[in-house]
Amino acid sequence: EIGRRADIAKSVLYHYFGSKAGLYEAIVEAETRELVDRVAVAVPPDTDAPRLRAGVEAYLGFLAERPAAWRLLLRDPPSDPELVEVHRRLAAERTEALAALLATPGKRARSGPHLELVATAIRTFAAWWYEHREVPQQRITEAILDVAAAGARHLEVGRGAPAPR
């Protein structure tokens, strides 16, 4: 299908990518790089400046502009065992790269569980939004930021902060 649409022989695809898994990996790697680059450009260079809103807006904006990438990056893992590992590895790389962009090194060191919660919220809301595109992007951003704020309040309890009421 890809070769036909690109008007190239199937053998050319196999020459450059080796297999369907190789082609899948190249595409997901390229989309991952572009997504991370988009977020990197959006977040302020000052590591003390708030970064989450700008990063989430860039992340969601990228997905909204590229529905095929959206499905590819956020869907359930492929069923082909060779592709499952590629999907898992690149999802982990995206998560790590985005965490590095959205949280300062100090925050990453002391807030591991909170960062995992925020990363999960971003992925989950983005996946849900794919099926509910009538919801404005700004509302999805606000929902993610609300989860992040609530998580920060509640997860700090174990660190000596007062218990939430």
Side-chain angles (χ1 to χ4, degrees):
E1 170 84 18
I2 292 169
R4 185 180 57 72
R5 285 187 180 192
D7 198 28
I8 58 174
K10 191 176 182 180
S11 62
V12 173
L13 285 173
Y14 281 101
H15 172 75
Y16 284 101
F17 299 105
S19 66
K20 288 180 189 176
L23 176 60
Y24 173 85
E25 184 172 12
I27 292 168
V28 176
E29 281 178 345
E31 294 298 332
T32 293
R33 256 191 324 277
E34 289 187 42
L35 173 61
V36 171
D37 289 348
R38 172 80 70 90
V39 173
V41 167
V43 297
D46 178 2
T47 57
D48 292 329
R51 305 165 74 78
L52 186 58
R53 177 180 297 276
V56 168
E57 287 173 349
Y59 179 91
L60 294 175
F62 176 88
L63 296 177
E65 291 170 15
R66 301 175 73 151
W70 195 348
R71 274 189 25 242
L72 188 65
L73 299 177
L74 295 178
R75 70 178 186 172
D76 291 332
S79 58
D80 181 333
E82 196 174 358
L83 300 180
V84 170
E85 176 53 31
V86 170
H87 183 83
R88 186 208 58 74
R89 177 179 57 80
L90 290 170
E93 287 177 17
R94 268 190 312 281
T95 298
E96 182 63 30
L98 293 170
L101 288 169
L102 299 179
T104 62
K107 188 173 275 189
R108 284 194 310 274
R110 69 179 179 274
S111 302
H114 181 239
L115 293 178
E116 290 172 26
L117 173 70
V118 173
T120 299
I122 292 169
R123 284 190 308 270
T124 303
F125 275 101
W128 178 87
W129 188 40
Y130 184 82
E131 300 298 330
H132 300 89
R133 294 185 205 181
E134 72 279 3
V135 178
Q137 179 179 330
Q138 187 59 34
R139 288 187 58 200
I140 302 301
T141 299
E142 293 303 324
I144 292 167
L145 295 175
D146 287 349
V147 168
R153 283 192 311 275
H154 293 286
L155 293 176
E156 291 301 314
V157 171
R159 297 174 195 231
R165 297 176 199 227

